[in-house]
Amino acid sequence: MSYAKPLPSYLVQRYHGWKATTHSENRAWYKRLANEGQRPRAMVISCCDSRVHVTSIFGADQGEFFIHRNIANLVPAYAPDGDHHGTSAAIEYAVTALKVAHIIVLGHSNCGGIQGCLDMCTGNAPELEKSSSFVGRWMDILRPGYERVSQENDAASLPTALEKEAVVVSLENLMSFPFIEEAVTSGELTLHGLWTEIGEGTLECLDSNTREFSPL
Ligand SMILES: [Zn+2]
């Protein structure tokens, strides 16, 4: 079966536009990036959601951020069990090989993954409870977080509270990786939790002592 087809023409056109302008005007910069390798200062873990535009928010160039995206910007706990762990692999490479100075976990408003977790935990999404649901089993990471925030929030505030809890849980799970705990303790690495409101463009930063987020 032939499954790999030519790219849609709108993407081909956009690519040629980029090559003729952005790339050709900065040819030396791209050559240098290619020859010298990457030295990103920060790793960003964000949601796959197409509205979360990390490089745009921070005005970042190529080479500045090592970015990993997954459903609901979650980090699983350290689990060296020989299984396939894409997020943990990205984290290991960023910290032990690239030696990034910062890891930023960026949550966001109106997150479909978080809504799915809420639906699952409230019994409204039986399809997510199936062992064959990759999304459901991934969102299991946040079940303990749901138990915590569901007791302190009403239906209206719960989605935002769980989006922020996902950031807190991810930072706690990051600290369960021995090489991260070591790098944080020695001061070589700092962790940061952020949450962005897509419509307003606001960005809030987590204080891990109070578990509160405040606007930047
Ligand atoms: Zn999301």
Side-chain angles (χ1 to χ4, degrees):
M1 189 183 115
S2 166
Y3 55 84
K5 303 290 186 190
L7 206 56
S9 59
Y10 80 99
L11 290 180
V12 174
Q13 281 170 14
R14 284 192 200 175
Y15 160 68
H16 285 302
W18 170 82
K19 185 80 167 63
T21 55
T22 308
H23 185 272
S24 92
E25 287 158 13
N26 300 283
R27 195 174 293 270
W29 168 246
Y30 284 99
K31 285 267 186 231
R32 199 177 127 194
L33 280 177
N35 294 335
E36 294 183 0
Q38 61 168 331
R39 288 198 197 90
R41 269 189 284 180
M43 175 180 196
V44 180
I45 299 169
S46 72
C47 185
C48 297
D49 192 304
S50 58
R51 299 164 298 177
V52 179
H53 208 322
V54 176
T55 50
S56 174
I57 290 175
F58 292 109
D61 257 331
Q62 282 88 350
E64 282 198 71
F65 286 158
F66 187 76
I67 302 174
H68 178 76
R69 303 178 74 141
N70 63 37
I71 299 286
N73 40 265
L74 288 174
V75 174
Y78 178 68
D81 54 12
D83 219 326
H84 302 302
H85 291 291
T87 297
S88 303
I91 291 164
E92 178 183 271
Y93 187 71
V95 175
T96 65
L98 297 174
K99 302 200 182 301
V100 294
H102 309 277
I103 298 180
I104 298 165
V105 176
L106 173 63
H108 72 100
S109 67
N110 313 93
C111 181
I114 296 294
Q115 187 58 51
C117 183
L118 272 177
D119 292 343
M120 180 175 77
C121 293
T122 50
N124 293 310
E127 69 282 5
L128 293 178
E129 296 285 7
K130 292 180 182 164
S131 62
S132 59
S133 168
F134 290 112
V135 172
R137 301 297 60 72
W138 179 248
M139 295 312 302
D140 281 342
I141 295 170
L142 197 51
R143 272 187 200 268
Y146 168 79
E147 297 301 332
R148 275 195 295 274
V149 297
S150 63
Q151 289 162 13
E152 301 159 3
N153 289 274
D154 57 20
S157 63
L158 196 47
T160 300
L162 194 57
E163 285 159 6
K164 292 179 175 178
E165 182 69 10
V167 175
V168 175
V169 166
S170 291
L171 290 187
E172 287 172 352
N173 285 344
L174 277 172
M175 286 300 282
S176 71
F177 287 68
F179 51 85
I180 291 189
E181 210 259 332
E182 200 180 306
V184 168
T185 305
S186 70
E188 291 164 28
L189 175 67
T190 51
L191 307 183
H192 313 272
L194 298 175
W195 175 86
T196 181
E197 211 287 326
I198 289 174
E200 294 296 324
T202 47
L203 193 58
E204 300 186 10
C205 186
L206 170 69
D207 178 339
S208 59
N209 292 321
T210 61
R211 295 169 82 98
E212 296 287 328
F213 285 74
S214 350
L216 292 181

